[in-house]
Amino acid sequence: CTMSSTLYGYSQNFLYLQEDTIYIFESEKSVMQCYTYGFHNAVALGSNSLSTMQCKLLMGLSPKRIVFMLDKTLDLQNTYRNIEKLLPYTRMKDTIISFWDWRQNTSLPDKASPSDYGGEILEQIINTEVVDYEEKMGVSH
């Protein structure tokens, strides 16, 4: 299928995606890994670029928070572009947009997904290395 028109894990995790936080990964394997760790609120882009249709799918769930968890050493400008693409869809909602600032991580190898090394490592990353975009960039929507 055309990955830009869907989100991997959307239908399987639909009930959990409507709760609070949605984690967005690049690859489908990350969603499957998260599921085995008990994280049922993950989806994958199938790439590292968010499409307009994917923005609409995400915001149709009315999440309180969206966290981009793109692979380590992917240029953060790519993450920022994805966030900037999503921001107009959050204008009428109080959705917080965050991202994994992999620069804070010295233990995972380059190109690692934050889900590759188990649930404990993923939880540690979520608790200590995820930053809110607006705070980091000094902007508001």
Side-chain angles (χ1 to χ4, degrees):
C1 75
T2 307
M3 282 305 298
S4 64
S5 65
T6 188
L7 292 162
Y8 183 83
Y10 186 88
S11 61
Q12 296 87 343
N13 294 329
F14 186 75
L15 293 176
Y16 302 101
L17 296 173
Q18 297 180 58
E19 291 180 355
D20 186 39
T21 300
I22 298 174
Y23 296 100
I24 302 175
F25 293 86
E26 287 184 51
S27 72
E28 297 84 347
K29 76 167 169 84
S30 295
V31 175
M32 292 184 276
Q33 289 169 331
C34 286
Y35 197 88
T36 65
Y37 310 148
F39 291 86
H40 303 291
N41 52 340
V43 294
L45 300 174
S47 70
N48 59 31
S49 296
L50 184 67
S51 73
T52 299
M53 178 56 114
Q54 290 169 328
C55 290
K56 291 176 182 178
L57 287 169
L58 288 166
M59 294 316 297
L61 296 165
S62 298
K64 293 180 182 159
R65 186 176 190 204
I66 294 175
V67 182
F68 285 87
M69 302 290 282
L70 305 182
D71 292 357
K72 184 173 181 181
T73 63
L74 177 69
D75 184 2
L76 283 180
Q77 292 302 317
N78 187 68
T79 299
Y80 299 156
R81 278 191 298 276
N82 286 327
I83 292 170
E84 291 293 330
K85 185 172 222 166
L86 183 61
L87 281 176
Y89 296 91
T90 67
R91 296 237 183 268
M92 302 303 283
K93 301 180 186 252
D94 291 327
T95 306
I96 298 166
I97 309 294
S98 305
F99 65 96
W100 175 37
D101 187 352
W102 51 260
R103 296 172 299 183
Q104 299 178 38
N105 186 294
T106 57
S107 61
L108 296 183
D110 288 355
K111 300 185 180 186
S113 168
S115 64
D116 283 346
Y117 294 91
E120 288 181 22
I121 298 293
L122 178 60
E123 194 152 342
Q124 175 187 336
I125 287 169
I126 289 169
N127 291 331
T128 63
E129 299 172 17
V130 169
V131 296
D132 290 347
Y133 177 75
E134 290 182 352
E135 285 181 22
K136 184 82 170 174
M137 303 304 280
V139 298
S140 64
H141 67 276

